[in-house]
Amino acid sequence: MILLDGKKISAEMKLEIANEVSRLVAAGKKRPNLAVIMVGDDGGSATYVASKVKTCHEVGFESSDFHYPATASEDEILKKIEEINNNPAIDGLIVQLPLPKHISESKVIETIDYRKDVDGFHPINTGRMAMGLPSYLPATPAGIIELLSRYNIETEGKNCVVLGRSNIVGTPISLLMSRKANPGNATVTICHSRSKNIKEICAQADILIVAIGQPEFVSADMVKEGAVVIDVGIHRIPSTETKSGFKIKGDVTFDEVAPKCSYITPVPGGVGLMTIICLLQNTLLAAQNKIYH
Ligand code: GUN
């Protein structure tokens, strides 16, 4: 069993991005600038945003951080998005999700200029991705593709089962795994809350991608001998065994599943670290006008 080491690969990519920023700056170009809007005080979101901003600075990007109280109006947020859309100093814009219930997620996403949509959530980017045209790829699916690619894992003709159909992970990764590309060219099955025989379907998978949002959902009996398992889940589980009072678990029961796998991502240290670095990679592409000219 080989661990798909998100820590190692994200560190390599971070260095690649930092080198490219140095090259841009040496050539007299401006540093890439990522704007992050957060609304409310959700603890998980605050941790992600802090981590994104910190990594931006580590690779030499500038970042513009806009934090609003949970009571901010939809109009206020939409106005801010429009202001950033029109600000040439800012290359990429993300609005951290989830948003408070009184703010429409789809309105927010559709207000972002698709050319600055480095989360790849705008329908134009989603549609272009589905058609195999150049677009910003959502960061978590892009991180999974990078891991498969950098470990030279064969995906062509393989049975790939995706657990979960979210707009952020399940749906886009299923499109990327089936499209005519490498990694890609897999035969993809998506399972979700209404699927029947999930266990039997998972047990057929050569590549199992789990983004179902339930701690330790996948047990050893659901995994074929020699499978590649990608775990997108991340959960804080109360524990008396650790000083912090919690343990981090994925959607896969790692200890019993790992011995059956050819490759598996650890949690933490797998997909999570790749997500942030792929967001920065998109921001670099945006600053260089590489997707849209
Ligand atoms: N919330 C959970 N994942 C993400 C993400 O990739 N981008 C944004 N904007 N919000 C999220």
Side-chain angles (χ1 to χ4, degrees), residues 52 94-97 119 121 168:
K52 287 171 186 177
I94 65 165
V95 179
Q96 188 65 27
L97 304 177
D119 257 334
F121 293 168
I168 294 182

Side-chain angles (χ1 to χ4, degrees), residues 3 14 40 69 83 94 103 111 119 121 207 210 216 218-219 222 230 233 245 250-251 267 271:
L3 278 182
K14 200 160 141 184
E83 182 192 312
I94 65 165
I103 300 178
T111 302
D119 257 334
F121 293 168
I207 302 169
V210 192
E216 302 194 313
V218 172
S219 48
M222 296 166 73
I230 310 282
D251 287 355
V267 176
V271 175

Side-chain angles (χ1 to χ4, degrees), residues 16 24 39 58-59 90 101 105 128 141 153 199 203 227 273:
E16 290 165 17
L24 284 178
V39 189
E58 285 168 0
V59 298
I90 295 179
K101 286 200 176 56
E105 212 163 275
R128 290 178 61 94
I153 293 172
K199 278 195 181 224
L273 294 168

Side-chain angles (χ1 to χ4, degrees), residues 17-40:
I17 294 171
N19 287 339
E20 189 61 18
V21 174
S22 301
R23 203 188 58 76
L24 284 178
V25 172
K29 303 266 167 54
K30 74 171 195 62
R31 292 180 184 277
N33 188 328
L34 173 67
V36 182
I37 296 180
M38 181 172 156
V39 189

Side-chain angles (χ1 to χ4, degrees), residues 188-205:
V188 178
T189 307
I190 306 177
C191 291
H192 45 74
S193 55
R194 309 297 165 91
S195 296
K196 297 200 167 77
N197 309 324
I198 287 188
K199 278 195 181 224
E200 289 76 6
I201 296 168
C202 287
Q204 306 277 318

